[in-house]
Each structure stands twice: as C-alpha cells, then as structure tokens.
Amino acid sequence: MTYLIGKWRVAEAMQFNDEKCQMEWTGIETILAKEDQDKETIMLLNTVVIFQEDGTIDFLCPLPEGVSQAEIDAALASGRLKLKDGMMQMDQKHWKEDDGKILADTGAEGEVLGEKVGPWEEVKVVDGDKIEIMMYRLKRAE
C-alpha cells in the first residue's frame, strides 16, 4: 500500500483524563506542555515511524540531549546503538497486507481478559490524514 510508505510522526496519544475518568486521544502539544512529563514519554512522543516498501517499520528517536560524540561512537561500536537519518533506531518491526487490511507487528503477544492475542494489529486510517496504531495516532512527516 503506497499510502502507508514514508515517514510518520506522533500527532496524538491515548492518555487518561483524570477529570472524566476515561482514556481519550490527546494532542502531543498538550501532553508535552505538562511540566511533569518524564523523559521516556517525551522520547516516545518524538518518535519517527518509517513504513518501508519491503514490509519493515523503523522506529526512530532523537538522540538524548547531552550525549557526547564519544558516547555515540562507543555505543555504535558495541552494537548497542544503530543510527538512521541521524536518529536512534529503537526498534524494527514488520507490516503486511492481509485480506485488504494493513497489519503491523506490535510485538505484543499473550492473553488479554482470557483471550489469546497475537502480535498483528490493524493500522487504521483516521480523518483521512492520520493512521492509528496501538496507543498512537500518526501524521505524515514532511
């Protein structure tokens, strides 16, 4: 599916709304504006997701602030770090087309409420310009 191919950025994430006592989609600007955000959440919200024609999905994050070039070089030499487009490659998964649906390997497998679940989750198109996967809505990156 050529629509999917390319770079995507997180636009919204599913967050718990304390006032409404429910989960809801929240724009990343709103989430990042909160002063108490931890570094891990900030890193996840700055992830770039690249769907490639070969059926792979790369998850890239910016390098953390304050990391020296020597630390980067050492991590690259040890194999603990891979760089792509100047960003850290956090993970690589796969996507496929099955019965007219686009499925992405989330890596999650096990049981939910007593039912066995597999790693493949449908990638849904939302509002015509966003896709939804797991707890994130992504918008095409320019």
Side-chain angles (χ1 to χ4, degrees):
M1 166 177 255
T2 57
Y3 172 77
L4 193 63
I5 305 303
K7 290 183 182 183
W8 298 79
R9 290 191 177 273
V10 177
E12 299 174 55
M14 187 61 77
Q15 294 274 299
F16 188 77
N17 182 319
D18 291 329
E19 293 173 9
K20 296 179 182 177
C21 291
Q22 66 184 29
M23 298 292 284
E24 66 183 16
W25 290 106
T26 307
I28 65 164
E29 299 83 17
T30 302
I31 298 169
L32 292 173
K34 296 177 183 174
E35 293 179 18
D36 62 344
Q37 287 304 327
D38 58 272
K39 290 179 183 181
E40 192 171 299
T41 299
I42 293 169
M43 186 175 73
L44 286 173
L45 294 177
N46 286 304
T47 297
V48 173
V49 180
I50 304 174
F51 287 85
Q52 300 181 84
E53 289 183 28
D54 68 358
T56 57
I57 310 169
D58 286 325
F59 295 86
L60 309 176
C61 290
L63 290 163
E65 289 182 32
V67 177
S68 70
Q69 188 62 48
E71 291 172 304
I72 293 169
D73 293 342
L76 286 168
S78 72
R80 293 181 322 213
L81 175 68
K82 290 182 183 179
L83 287 181
K84 186 170 187 170
D85 295 337
M87 300 178 84
M88 297 185 300
Q89 182 178 17
M90 301 301 293
D91 203 356
Q92 186 176 65
K93 298 289 185 188
H94 294 87
W95 68 272
K96 65 181 180 179
E97 194 167 356
D98 186 25
D99 198 23
K101 295 179 182 179
I102 301 298
L103 304 175
D105 179 1
T106 64
E109 200 165 359
E111 235 179 75
V112 175
L113 301 173
E115 287 192 38
K116 191 171 184 168
V117 294
W120 296 97
E121 183 175 313
E122 184 176 0
V123 177
K124 299 174 185 134
V125 177
V126 180
D127 297 333
D129 68 341
K130 293 179 189 162
I131 57 174
E132 189 175 297
I133 181 171
M134 297 182 288
M135 304 280 288
Y136 301 98
R137 285 186 175 160
L138 310 175
K139 190 168 187 158
R140 188 167 296 279
E142 299 301 323

